[in-house]
Amino acid sequence: MGYIDSGKQEGATLHLGGDRFGSQGYFIKPTIFTNTKPDMKIVKEEIFGPVGVVIKFEDEAGELVYFFFELLFSQVDRMD
């Protein structure tokens, strides 16, 4: 949850998720942040989990471009 807290504290907007999933382990719900900046921890560091960030920047022609970065979904089959 440290990365989620860091994103909020550094001013990113949490649009989806950000909560724990289940009561065991270190699972979180799929999470998306917007209004991020390149110097934020959630942008600079690799997060192992379903966390994505949307980065807005200008291209060479001065056009606004949105980039969706670092979203990983995985499925784990568990035997109970």
Side-chain angles (χ1 to χ4, degrees):
M1 298 301 293
Y3 283 107
I4 306 299
D5 294 337
S6 173
K8 292 179 197 176
Q9 290 170 358
E10 291 181 338
T13 302
L14 178 65
H15 276 278
L16 177 73
D19 299 317
R20 286 182 55 98
F21 178 77
S23 59
Q24 295 181 342
Y26 298 98
F27 302 103
I28 62 167
K29 295 178 181 176
T31 302
I32 298 175
F33 281 101
T34 60
N35 296 324
T36 60
K37 295 184 172 61
D39 61 337
M40 291 180 171
K41 183 177 181 177
I42 59 172
V43 174
K44 295 190 310 185
E45 297 185 14
E46 182 178 359
I47 302 172
F48 184 74
V51 178
V53 296
V54 177
I55 302 170
K56 179 173 68 171
F57 61 94
E58 288 187 18
D59 67 6
E60 295 170 357
E63 302 279 329
L64 282 179
V65 178
Y66 294 88
F67 184 71
F68 190 61
F69 181 70
E70 208 176 310
L71 184 63
L72 168 71
F73 284 100
S74 64
Q75 180 178 353
V76 178
D77 294 319
R78 291 181 274 179
M79 296 178 63
D80 292 328

